[in-house]
Amino acid sequence: MRALPEDFVVREWLGFDADGEGDHLLLKVRKRGANTMWVAKQLARIGKIHPRDVGFAGLKDRDAVAEQAFTVPGRSAVPNWLGVTGDGFEVISAARTRRKLKRGALKGNDFEIVLREFSGDTTLLEQRLQTLSTAGAPNYFGPQRFGHNGSNVSTAIAWFEGGPAPERMDRGFALSAARSVIFNAVLAERVNAGSWNQLLDGDVVNLNGSGSFFLAETIDDTLRDRCQQLDVHPTGPMWHGDALLSKGATATLETEAAQRYAVLAAGLSKARLEPERRPLRVPVRELKWRIEGADVHLQFRLQRGSFATAVLHELISNAFQAETPEADV
């Protein structure tokens, strides 16, 4: 993985275009070997604006080539942003828009990935790819979520065990990482049980591509069919400490998984977080592949908040270990 940054290309799919009017500029930026925060700070410096005035929808990996949207106020010091360059980035389009980009304001991401020196069974690889294209992938949080060498989790543990509270940004990273550990543990239990892609009585069900969830105390044939069609998905908890939304055996499984991480679960309970759920499965849309010698070329689209490494984890044995912790895409 990532023998070159060009082996991992990600393009944001915002789901909308600039409307040509407004007090902001929507910039499309191509970056290589630079993380999102670094580019945002450079845009602020060049435009002589405060960094908080630069908007973006999500973080993108440093060790990659990424096309990502940013917004800057129209009052910036740069009259024409098209072609502006900096350390590791270039502005490739600019257009007026009405609103500053907010975190999460995108539909998903398109990926082009090259895996080098493939040495496995080609037939098995293609079978797995076909399964991914029709059945989706377990929606694990990738290692980027946990920080370099798990530093975000270590911060959470130290804080929850009585240490000083981290700075605001680090606190957010720590809470997200702690919740992600427990979610991944729940998902792993469902994968081991063969139920990560099936609805169980007591599941909280997600309508694909939306933030809509509902409790299904009993699963009927209609819901089973919709699950088979990737229209709805089972979910796992983003731990918050209050009563779980799930019921019965599903709630028991989730509680037992969380209890294996008692320090994290207890700390999250005290943080008074809003109840949230995350789909256990992510569809892998528009999946295409070709094998050229020892190189495997992949193209696919994921919904926002999901990780390309979760897809690669279904194909190669060291996807999570080989990934450079950098950012949530």
Side-chain angles (χ1 to χ4, degrees):
M1 291 175 60
R2 301 180 192 261
L4 299 169
E6 285 77 10
D7 287 347
F8 195 103
V9 177
V10 55
R11 296 182 177 90
E12 277 188 338
W13 168 40
L14 291 179
F16 64 89
D17 295 316
D19 50 26
E21 299 179 352
D23 296 330
H24 298 269
L25 286 165
L26 182 67
L27 310 180
K28 181 183 288 187
V29 172
R30 180 182 292 119
K31 65 184 191 67
R32 181 186 189 276
N35 68 33
T36 298
M37 297 301 296
W38 170 250
V39 172
K41 289 176 181 178
Q42 289 193 77
L43 293 174
R45 177 181 56 79
I46 294 168
K48 295 182 171 52
I49 54 179
H50 197 282
R52 68 168 171 262
D53 291 331
V54 179
F56 53 87
L59 301 176
K60 294 292 176 288
D61 288 352
R62 178 185 62 197
D63 296 319
V65 174
E67 292 184 4
Q68 176 173 13
F70 293 82
T71 53
V72 295
R75 57 177 166 75
S76 76
V78 179
N80 182 8
W81 281 92
L82 181 62
V84 168
T85 61
D87 186 6
F89 79 91
E90 176 187 5
V91 179
I92 59 176
S93 72
R96 285 275 177 178
T97 192
R98 296 179 186 275
R99 297 179 182 178
K100 175 184 176 182
L101 266 180
K102 295 183 178 180
R103 295 291 288 271
L106 74 164
K107 292 288 189 180
N109 295 283
D110 293 316
F111 296 92
E112 294 182 15
I113 296 172
V114 183
L115 302 176
R116 306 286 183 183
E117 300 181 18
F118 174 70
S119 60
D121 183 326
T122 302
T123 300
L124 177 58
L125 173 66
E126 297 211 78
Q127 289 173 352
R128 290 188 177 183
L129 286 164
Q130 186 60 48
T131 298
L132 283 170
S133 69
T134 57
N139 196 22
Y140 286 111
F141 285 103
Q144 307 98 310
R145 189 75 166 202
F146 307 111
H148 183 63
N149 292 327
S151 59
N152 294 340
V153 181
S154 298
T155 297
I157 292 172
W159 174 24
F160 295 161
E161 288 184 332
E167 296 293 328
R168 181 177 179 180
M169 180 174 291
D170 290 339
R171 183 163 64 247
F173 286 143
L175 291 171
S176 294
R179 298 180 101 178
S180 301
V181 167
I182 294 175
F183 174 87
N184 275 6
V186 170
L187 175 52
E189 287 295 319
R190 295 283 293 255
V191 168
N192 288 337
S195 63
W196 65 276
N197 55 358
Q198 302 173 21
L199 294 177
L200 305 177
D201 291 346
D203 258 330
V204 179
V205 182
N206 166 243
L207 179 62
N208 182 63
S210 78
S212 297
F213 300 89
F214 61 92
L215 173 65
E217 296 198 45
T218 303
I219 306 302
D220 59 21
D221 289 340
T222 299
L223 278 176
R224 291 189 185 92
D225 288 343
R226 293 181 67 187
C227 186
Q228 181 74 19
Q229 298 299 318
L230 306 182
D231 182 45
V232 296
H233 311 287
T235 66
M238 299 299 292
W239 200 259
H240 51 86
D242 294 333
L244 287 168
L245 301 177
S246 55
K247 300 294 183 182
T250 298
T252 299
L253 180 150
E254 293 172 357
T255 300
E256 289 177 349
Q259 287 173 347
R260 299 205 302 273
Y261 301 92
V263 171
L264 298 180
L268 289 168
S269 297
K270 294 177 181 178
R272 299 182 180 277
L273 300 168
E274 291 294 323
E276 293 181 33
R277 305 286 297 192
R278 173 181 170 86
L280 296 179
R281 177 177 62 179
V282 59
V284 184
R285 304 295 192 190
E286 302 176 25
L287 176 59
K288 300 176 183 178
W289 65 87
R290 71 180 190 275
I291 301 172
E292 296 181 351
D295 295 340
V296 180
H297 297 254
L298 304 172
Q299 295 182 37
F300 55 89
R301 170 176 284 184
L302 295 180
Q303 296 164 185
R304 68 183 177 93
S306 296
F307 290 76
T309 39
V311 176
L312 300 181
H313 179 63
E314 303 305 302
L315 302 174
I316 60 177
S317 60
N318 64 339
F320 287 151
Q321 291 84 357
E323 174 72 335
T324 301
E326 181 56 41
D328 175 3
V329 297

